[in-house]
Amino acid sequence: MKINRYLLQSALVAAVAGFLFGFDTIVISGTIEMLTARFGLSSLDLGTTVASALLGTILGSLVTAKPSEWLGRKPVLMLLSMLYLVSGLGCGLAWSWHSLLGFRFVGGLAIGGASVVSPMYIAEIAPPHARGRLVATSQLNIVIGLVAAYISNFIIAMLMPGDPSAWRWMLGIVALPSVIFFFLLLPIPESPRWLAKRHRWDDALAVLRRLGNDDPEGLLREIAESLHEETVSVNEPFFQRKYLKPILLAFMVASFNQLAGINAVLYYSGHIFSMAGAEQTSQLMQSIIIGMTNLIFTFVGLAVIDRFGRRKLMIVGAVGLAICLSATGFSFWMSDRIAEGTMSQSYLRLVGPLVLTSLIGFIACFAFSNGAVIWVYISEIFPNRVRARGQALGSFTHWFWCALINFSFPVIVANVSTSAPFAFFAAMMILQLVLVWKFLPETKGVSLEEMQRHLGIE
C-alpha cells in the first residue's frame, strides 16, 4: 500500500534524531588513540571516557518519558536537538579530560532521549502495514549516522595528518546537523495518539486525516477505547502484573541487542583492528567498511521486516551472529597463542583478514536482525497509555548493557584476553536463539491497539 507523503516526511524528519544518535555515539571511535595520548589515559580511563556518554544515555532514557507525556513528542525532540548542539560544541572546545567527560555525558542524555522518543513518535503516526518499515527508518538513520561519523573521522584525519588536535573537530562537527535537525522539526505534526491522551480530539482527528488514514474517525475511536478513558488514568502504574509480558519481552530484545557486542565493535573498531595489527589509516578505512556493511544490510532489514516479520529475523540473525563472533574470538585466540610463542608466526598473516571478514559478517547479520528489530518491536508491544514508559524501559535496558559492556571491554582485553569478550558475545547469541524461538510473539501487520489484546492486556 502507498504511504502518504506527509506521513513519510514526518517519519523521516523524526528519524533524523537517529542520525544524530548514531553519529554522536560512534564518532569517538576515531579519537581513542589521540585522546589516550592527549590525556594519558589508562585502560580504565579509556573505558570511562567511552562510557561517559553511555551513562548519559541511561539517564536520558529514564527521564525522557515523562516530558514526552507532559509536553508532547515534538517539543522533546526539539529539546534533544539543542542538547546535541551543546554537546558537540562543548566536546570540540573541551579544556580538560573532565570537561570532555561532562559534555559527552550531555550528548548521552540526547542519545538516550532520542532512542525513546523518535521510534515512539514514528510508531504512533504510522499505519500497521508500514509501521515496521517506518520505525526502522530510525535505525536506518542511526546507521547512516555511524557511517557519516566514520567517514568524517577519516576525512578530518586526512586533512589534519598527525595533528594531535584533530579529535576536537571530530567530536565538535556534530553541532552542524544538530541545528539542521531543529529547523526540520518545525513543520511536523504532534503525535495523534498523544493528542488523544490529552483529550484534544479535534486536533488528533485533523492529524490523522492529514497523515492519510483511510478511516480517521474509526481509528480515533479505537485509540480512545484503548486508552480506557472511563476507567484508567493516564498515570496508571506501569510495573504491574498485566504488563509483565511486554515488560519481559522489551527487556529481552533490548538486552540481546547489546549482548551481541555490537557497540563494543562499533566504539572500539579502530582499537580492535589495531589489536589485529592494522595501522591508523588502515584502521579508519576498515571502520568505514564496517559502517558501509552496516548501512547496506540495514536496508535489507528495512526491506524485509514487514514481509518476514520480527521473530524470523531475530532467529536467523542469532545463528549468523554466533558463527561470526566465534570466528572473531578464534582469530584473537590464535593471535594470543602466536604472541606467547605456542603457535607458529606463519599463522599471523591470517589474523587480520579473518578479523575483518568475521566482523563484516557479524555487522551484516546484526544489521538485518537485532539492529532492525529492536526499536520497532519495543514501540509495538506496549499499550498507548504506557507506551512512553515502555519505550523508556527498553531504552534504559539497552543503554545499561551498552555502558557496562563498553566500560569493561578494554579492561577485559587488557587483563583477561583479546578473545574473551567475543566468546561471551557468541554464547549470548546462542541463548538469544533459544529464548526468541520459545517466547517471542510476532507483531507484524497488527495495529497498536490490537496488539494489547494479543498480549492479553485488557
Side-chain angles (χ1 to χ4, degrees):
M1 296 178 65
K2 189 175 180 180
I3 299 176
N4 174 275
R5 183 176 178 180
Y6 184 62
L7 166 63
L8 181 60
Q9 289 175 342
S10 299
L12 291 177
V13 167
V16 174
F19 174 89
L20 292 167
F21 170 160
F23 192 102
D24 201 35
T25 298
I26 298 303
V27 72
I28 198 171
S29 66
T31 69
I32 284 175
E33 304 298 331
M34 287 178 280
L35 293 177
T36 299
R38 169 64 179 81
F39 297 111
L41 304 180
S42 65
S43 61
L44 183 62
D45 293 334
L46 177 58
T48 302
T49 303
V50 172
S52 59
L54 299 175
L55 294 175
T57 64
I58 294 173
L59 181 59
S61 64
L62 285 175
V63 303
T64 306
K66 285 190 179 295
S68 71
E69 290 296 319
W70 298 332
L71 305 173
R73 312 330 188 193
K74 178 179 172 178
V76 172
L77 285 171
M78 298 178 80
L79 175 61
L80 294 175
S81 71
M82 293 296 96
L83 290 180
Y84 278 122
L85 175 63
V86 170
S87 174
L89 293 176
C91 288
L93 299 172
W95 55 91
S96 66
W97 180 53
H98 291 97
S99 65
L100 175 65
L101 296 184
F103 285 113
R104 286 292 293 167
F105 180 83
V106 172
L109 292 175
I111 294 167
S115 69
V116 173
V117 182
S118 177
M120 177 173 61
Y121 172 87
I122 299 170
E124 291 185 340
I125 66 172
H129 73 272
R131 190 174 60 241
R133 282 170 289 164
L134 289 176
V135 177
T137 60
S138 182
Q139 175 64 22
L140 176 63
N141 272 265
I142 292 172
V143 175
I144 292 173
L146 303 183
V147 175
Y150 287 137
I151 293 174
S152 173
N153 285 346
F154 181 77
I155 291 173
I156 291 171
M158 292 300 98
L159 292 175
M160 305 175 67
D163 190 330
S165 66
W167 62 270
R168 294 186 179 276
W169 290 95
M170 291 178 179
L171 297 178
I173 200 168
V174 72
L176 179 59
S178 303
V179 174
I180 295 172
F181 179 45
F182 178 86
F183 287 103
L184 286 175
L185 285 167
L186 293 176
I188 71 170
E190 181 53 82
S191 160
R193 286 174 168 86
W194 181 84
L195 292 169
K197 288 180 74 171
R198 296 296 155 184
H199 301 172
R200 292 169 57 179
W201 307 111
D202 291 341
D203 292 337
L205 184 59
V207 171
L208 289 172
R209 284 174 176 158
R210 194 172 180 192
L211 293 173
N213 289 277
D214 293 332
D215 180 16
E217 291 83 0
L219 179 56
L220 184 59
R221 286 194 297 272
E222 189 176 359
I223 292 170
E225 181 182 346
S226 75
L227 293 173
H228 286 197
E229 288 290 323
E230 68 282 356
T231 59
V232 179
S233 165
V234 294
N235 294 316
E236 178 186 25
F238 177 62
F239 290 102
Q240 54 178 302
R241 186 175 181 81
K242 67 178 177 179
Y243 298 135
L244 180 61
K245 190 169 184 179
I247 285 172
L248 291 177
L249 289 172
F251 179 82
M252 180 174 72
V253 171
S255 294
F256 282 123
N257 181 276
Q258 286 303 300
L259 292 173
I262 181 63
N263 275 18
V265 171
L266 294 176
Y267 276 80
Y268 294 103
S269 58
H271 190 53
I272 290 169
F273 290 127
S274 175
M275 292 190 301
E279 299 295 330
Q280 184 182 23
T281 302
S282 179
Q283 294 168 29
L284 292 172
M285 181 56 70
Q286 288 174 341
S287 293
I288 292 174
I289 294 172
I290 291 294
M292 290 303 298
T293 302
N294 201 354
L295 179 60
I296 291 168
F297 281 87
T298 297
F299 274 112
V300 173
L302 194 68
V304 302
I305 192 169
D306 282 323
R307 179 180 301 177
F308 296 113
R310 295 47 159 158
R311 185 172 180 271
K312 287 182 181 177
L313 294 186
M314 291 280 284
I315 290 171
V316 173
V319 174
L321 288 166
I323 293 171
C324 294
L325 286 164
S326 297
T328 306
F330 176 71
S331 65
F332 280 115
W333 178 85
M334 284 199 305
S335 178
D336 290 343
R337 302 293 80 75
I338 294 167
E340 293 170 357
T342 57
M343 184 176 284
S344 171
Q345 288 284 331
S346 62
Y347 290 103
L348 188 60
R349 67 181 186 276
L350 299 177
V351 172
L354 183 55
V355 168
L356 179 59
T357 302
S358 60
L359 287 183
I360 288 174
F362 164 78
I363 291 293
C365 291
F366 182 89
F368 77 76
S369 61
N370 292 30
V373 168
I374 176 174
W375 305 118
V376 175
Y377 198 84
I378 293 172
S379 69
E380 292 176 323
I381 57 177
F382 290 97
N384 288 324
R385 58 187 179 269
V386 294
R387 182 168 299 113
R389 284 172 282 175
Q391 193 79 33
L393 170 70
S395 183
F396 166 79
T397 303
H398 170 277
W399 291 117
F400 171 82
W401 286 116
C402 184
L404 182 61
I405 289 169
N406 282 278
F407 174 77
S408 61
F409 182 84
V411 177
I412 292 172
V413 166
N415 296 283
V416 182
S417 73
T418 54
S419 61
F422 300 100
F424 171 77
F425 298 146
M428 289 300 98
M429 290 303 93
I430 295 172
L431 182 59
Q432 172 181 309
L433 173 63
V434 173
L435 294 182
V436 169
W437 184 281
K438 289 181 65 68
F439 299 114
L440 197 80
E442 185 53 74
T443 59
K444 71 169 184 174
V446 182
S447 75
L448 296 180
E449 287 67 42
E450 188 181 352
M451 185 65 61
Q452 65 190 67
R453 293 190 288 273
H454 278 266
L455 294 175
I457 302 169
E458 299 297 334

